[in-house]
Amino acid sequence: MDPGFFDKPTPITLERIAVVTGAVIADPTQTDRLVHGVAPLDLAGPDDVTYLDNRRLADALAGTRAAACFIAERDVLLAPQSTVVLVTASPDRAFAILTGYFYPASLRPMPIQGDDGVSPGAHVAATARLEANVTIEAGAVIGPGAEIGSGTLIAAGAVIGAGVKIGRECSIGPGASLIHALIGNRFVAHPGVRIGQDGFGYVPGASGHLKIPQIGRVIIQDDVEIGANTTIDRGSNRDTMIGEGTKIDNQVQIGHNVVIGRHCLIAGKVGISGSVRMGDFVMIGGGAGIRDHVIVGNGVKIAAAAAVHSNVPDGETWAGYPAVQIDRFYRQMRTLQRLVRGENARGSVGAKDHEDDE
């Protein structure tokens, strides 16, 4: 597969792939075989590496033309004889590692204009501090007292507010805005991200709603990635915080005073209300919502479209509307199905009796 927007990779041997990914070549006579790229099972050609991470795709594997395939040991016999098996405990992880090796430029946003240094079309305040090797593209605005670490990219049209501090090797995408924020190293903000704006806080009253001043910050630790058009409000009277290694998808709303732990995964269109506290390694499916002041424990999984109204203990999986522990959710669904079947059965009998009366 040729992505088109990335340079073609240099062909490498299966032996090199084994070194890079930790996979084991099932047929040692094939170590010198060259491959040129990566592709999914159905699109892979005789120069590509593919992977199988789900047995439901066994038919696609049987028909693949790929040169080699990352595959778990239990599934080795599913591979066609024409495809070299690369045995690994985690085929999807190995495939991701190899894809990044072939296309390193895909791992972080690149400059839109392709130029290094500070563009003459950028607006950088005289009191801003830039370390070496910072790239600031045309149309970007860097406010007074801002600090930007070495190797960081500020893309076209991005706005970095006064006093904002951004670490090293970061990428701030086109049109993003960061105000009232302290950012760690290797941070990625995709296009349109909004960080540090006012939180939604008002005191209701008969004569109108009194705005609550939002005087906190947003603090983001190392290795965090934020998807396009996601918004993270600054705190009202304390800080909004995102822990290291957390990855947040597109169009997510994170309210003021929220604390998110380390290495969490949050899918698109999730809404997290103000003052939620979330532990480490939490996973939230797309479209889920969490009400204000809820505590979500370590290792929790929340299903897509769930509505979480109460605290979730460590390690549990919740689903539903309102969300409950997953086993309880399944019991509720089975009970509802039985009730519906019963209503349908009674309705059918009633209809027949009515016909007989006629």
Side-chain angles (χ1 to χ4, degrees):
M1 182 177 68
D2 178 15
F5 292 100
F6 300 98
D7 294 337
K8 283 183 174 292
T10 301
I12 60 174
T13 65
L14 293 183
E15 182 177 32
R16 180 59 185 162
I17 289 175
V19 171
V20 169
T21 65
V24 175
I25 305 172
D27 183 355
T29 66
Q30 298 292 320
T31 56
D32 292 335
R33 183 168 179 174
L34 285 174
V35 293
H36 297 248
V38 292
L41 286 164
D42 57 333
L43 299 179
D47 295 324
D48 293 323
V49 178
T50 190
Y51 75 108
L52 176 80
D53 67 340
N54 191 322
R55 284 188 170 183
R56 287 181 292 182
L57 299 175
D59 289 344
L61 174 62
T64 191
R65 298 168 54 241
C69 180
F70 293 113
I71 194 167
E73 187 170 5
R74 66 174 187 172
D75 296 328
V76 165
L77 296 180
L78 299 176
Q81 292 185 347
S82 58
T83 299
V84 179
V85 169
L86 302 172
V87 183
T88 174
S90 182
D92 53 350
R93 187 178 185 87
F95 186 80
I97 291 171
L98 180 60
T99 303
Y101 181 87
F102 273 142
Y103 302 101
S106 69
L107 294 175
R108 57 175 288 183
M110 302 301 292
I112 300 298
Q113 297 174 308
D115 298 327
D116 295 328
V118 179
S119 168
H123 302 272
V124 181
T127 56
R129 287 186 52 204
L130 311 181
E131 290 189 343
N133 302 317
V134 169
T135 296
I136 302 179
E137 296 196 303
V141 177
I142 313 298
E147 298 181 11
I148 300 174
S150 64
T152 288
L153 162 68
I154 310 297
V159 175
I160 309 301
V164 169
K165 294 177 174 55
I166 300 174
R168 294 169 178 163
E169 301 297 331
C170 298
S171 295
I172 311 302
S177 63
L178 282 67
I179 59 175
H180 303 278
L182 306 177
I183 309 294
N185 299 318
R186 298 174 300 279
F187 170 72
V188 176
H190 289 278
V193 162
R194 304 288 181 232
I195 294 175
Q197 61 283 331
D198 271 12
F200 188 72
Y202 296 87
V203 179
S207 60
H209 307 308
L210 177 66
K211 184 177 180 65
I212 299 173
Q214 307 289 297
I215 60 174
R217 306 169 295 181
V218 176
I219 297 177
I220 298 179
Q221 296 181 344
D222 295 346
D223 299 303
V224 171
E225 185 164 353
I226 310 293
N229 295 325
T230 281
T231 55
I232 304 176
D233 297 341
R234 70 176 181 266
S236 58
N237 53 15
R238 64 180 73 233
D239 294 327
T240 301
M241 302 181 67
I242 313 294
E244 66 174 324
T246 285
K247 315 298 182 184
I248 300 173
D249 197 3
N250 302 335
Q251 298 181 342
V252 172
Q253 160 62 16
I254 298 174
H256 59 202
N257 300 348
V258 168
V259 176
I260 295 176
R262 300 174 302 120
H263 304 292
C264 297
L265 292 174
I266 301 174
K269 295 192 175 180
V270 165
I272 302 176
S273 301
S275 299
V276 167
R277 299 182 67 86
M278 188 180 302
D280 300 334
F281 292 95
V282 173
M283 300 175 68
I284 305 179
I290 305 177
R291 65 157 291 174
D292 58 294
H293 295 276
V294 162
I295 298 174
V296 178
N298 295 317
V300 165
K301 296 179 181 178
I302 296 173
V308 180
H309 292 181
S310 56
N311 295 345
V312 185
D314 289 354
E316 292 194 357
T317 300
W318 282 33
Y321 189 97
V324 293
Q325 199 274 338
I326 192 73
D327 291 338
R328 181 181 173 188
F329 170 75
Y330 287 141
R331 289 197 300 271
Q332 290 175 346
M333 292 299 100
R334 288 193 293 268
T335 300
L336 181 60
Q337 289 168 0
R338 286 195 295 269
L339 290 172
V340 170
R341 285 198 295 269
E343 288 293 335
N344 289 341
R346 285 193 294 273
S348 297
V349 171
K352 185 177 186 300
D353 290 344
H354 181 70
E355 290 170 3
D356 291 341
D357 290 342
E358 292 179 348

